[in-house]
């Protein structure tokens, strides 16, 4: 039997490419052809069609199956998530032991005078301490703060890590964290000290929404969860909303480039997407630095 691409129906749904009388909203994660329940073969993320599964098996070691974004399939799809979580907890314990000094030295700060150093000694990103943009994303002072952020990481991280692969997931997390710090640097008061993994976690929210849309999954759960978190962001006092929005936008943009990249040019498109987001971050920070110290 000749296998054909699914045709669009008046209802808006495609039909299974192997069973033309069955409508479906699910597509194979590898070839993107529509498949019905009888043709769905469970994969690490989503479902694959019988043809792709047979092709992967026939190719053997010479052409190992890949994730939706082209990453290598691994047994432990939580490894990077667990490492990031462990780092956050370890730094939280260090903060409890070292006190406020560690927060002052590593937290996100644009440009401020530190009287403890004597004289007119300025500190912050504008003073050349660029590392704060990343180190601040691993800092927490309150148990509820680190608890909520790590809960979000554990809830969203494994699914994204499985879909993107370890290297791509790591890039998504770190660039989202940098984007959150960058928007804080640009929009927040230069002497406002902020910290926490929230920018990176909101990046995971944005990436999850993009992934679910790409997989034709029900968007309502992630939409409701994101709406609740945005409501908290803009109604609770003491929250650096700039970091949340910066991470959210960057995470969505990076994920879109990763999961929608053409298979033939997948890696170059994904690299260029990450480079483009990083370039925006760098340019915004350079301009802001000139405003503060120029």
């Amino acid at each position: 039997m000749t296998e054909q691409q699914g045709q669009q129906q008046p209802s808006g749904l495609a039909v299974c490419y192997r069973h033309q009388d069955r409508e479906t909203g699910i597509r194979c994660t590898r070839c993107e052809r529509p498949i019905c329940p009888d043709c769905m073969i469970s994969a690490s993320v989503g479902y694959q069609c019988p043809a792709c599964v047979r092709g992967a098996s026939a190719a053997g070691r010479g052409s190992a199956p890949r994730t939706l974004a082209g990453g290598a399939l691994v047994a432990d799809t939580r490894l990077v998530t667990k490492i990031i979580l462990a780092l956050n907890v370890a730094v939280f314990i260090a903060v409890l032991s070292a006190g406020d000094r560690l927060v002052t030295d590593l937290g996100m700060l644009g440009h401020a005078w530190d009287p403890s150093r004597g004289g007119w000694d300025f500190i912050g990103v504008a003073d050349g301490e660029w590392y704060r943009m990343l180190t601040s994303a691993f800092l927490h002072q309150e148990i509820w703060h680190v608890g909520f952020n790590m809960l979000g990481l554990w809830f969203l991280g494994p699914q994204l890590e499985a879909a993107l692969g370890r290297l791509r997931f790591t890039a998504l997390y770190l660039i989202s964290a940098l984007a959150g710090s960058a928007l804080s640097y640009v929009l927040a008061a230069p002497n406002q000290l902020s910290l926490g993994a929230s920018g990176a976690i909101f990046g995971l929210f944005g990436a999850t929404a993009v992934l679910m849309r790409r997989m034709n999954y029900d968007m309502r759960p992630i939409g409701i969860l994101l709406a609740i978190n945005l409501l908290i962001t803009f109604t609770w006092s003491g929250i650096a909303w700039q970091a949340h929005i910066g991470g959210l936008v960057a995470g969505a943009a990076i994920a879109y480039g990763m999961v929608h990249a053409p298979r033939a040019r997948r890696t170059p498109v994904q690299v260029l997407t990450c480079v483009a987001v990083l370039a925006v971050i760098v340019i915004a920070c350079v301009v802001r630095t000139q405003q503060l110290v120029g």
Side-chain angles (χ1 to χ4, degrees), residues 33-251:
R33 290 180 290 190
I35 48 178
C36 68
D38 287 343
C39 298
M40 296 176 189
I41 300 176
S42 182
S44 59
V45 176
Y47 299 93
Q48 294 182 11
C49 69
C52 286
V53 172
R54 287 197 303 268
S57 299
R61 295 182 181 179
S63 179
R66 314 294 290 184
T67 68
L68 173 65
L73 293 180
V74 294
D76 185 0
T77 59
R78 299 171 180 258
L79 179 62
V80 175
T81 301
K82 289 186 285 190
I83 291 174
I84 295 173
L85 193 152
L87 285 173
N88 276 275
V89 172
V91 174
F92 174 66
I93 294 173
V95 169
L96 293 180
S97 302
D100 294 339
R101 187 71 256 175
L102 191 61
V103 172
T104 303
D105 289 342
L106 300 179
M108 180 58 208
L109 187 67
H111 193 55
W113 174 49
D114 184 5
S116 67
R117 298 189 180 186
W120 288 89
D121 193 1
F122 281 88
I123 60 174
V125 175
D127 200 52
E129 298 174 344
W130 293 85
Y131 57 84
R132 290 175 177 271
M133 297 183 65
L134 189 59
T135 57
S136 61
F138 292 88
L139 282 173
H140 299 85
Q141 278 186 301
E142 305 292 341
I143 185 66
W144 65 266
H145 193 194
V146 68
F148 275 118
N149 279 339
M150 294 307 98
L151 182 64
L153 172 61
W154 191 249
F155 178 74
L156 301 169
Q159 290 76 17
L160 286 168
E161 188 175 342
L164 303 179
R166 289 173 177 171
L167 181 60
R168 291 166 176 81
F169 174 72
T170 302
L172 168 72
Y173 188 90
L174 295 179
I175 297 175
S176 296
L178 287 173
S181 295
L183 196 60
S184 292
Y185 183 43
V186 171
L187 297 182
N191 62 346
Q192 175 181 302
L193 181 68
S194 61
L195 63 157
S198 300
I201 302 304
F202 266 77
L204 302 188
F205 272 116
T208 300
V210 170
L211 177 63
M212 293 183 70
R213 182 68 182 86
R214 169 67 174 75
M215 300 292 296
N216 289 322
Y217 286 171
D218 185 358
M219 295 289 293
R220 285 174 294 184
I222 188 64
I224 292 172
L225 190 58
L226 179 57
I228 292 173
N229 279 272
L230 286 173
L231 179 65
I232 293 173
T233 295
F234 290 105
T235 57
W236 283 20
S237 61
I239 292 181
W241 63 267
Q242 299 92 342
H244 293 192
I245 301 303
L248 177 66
V249 173

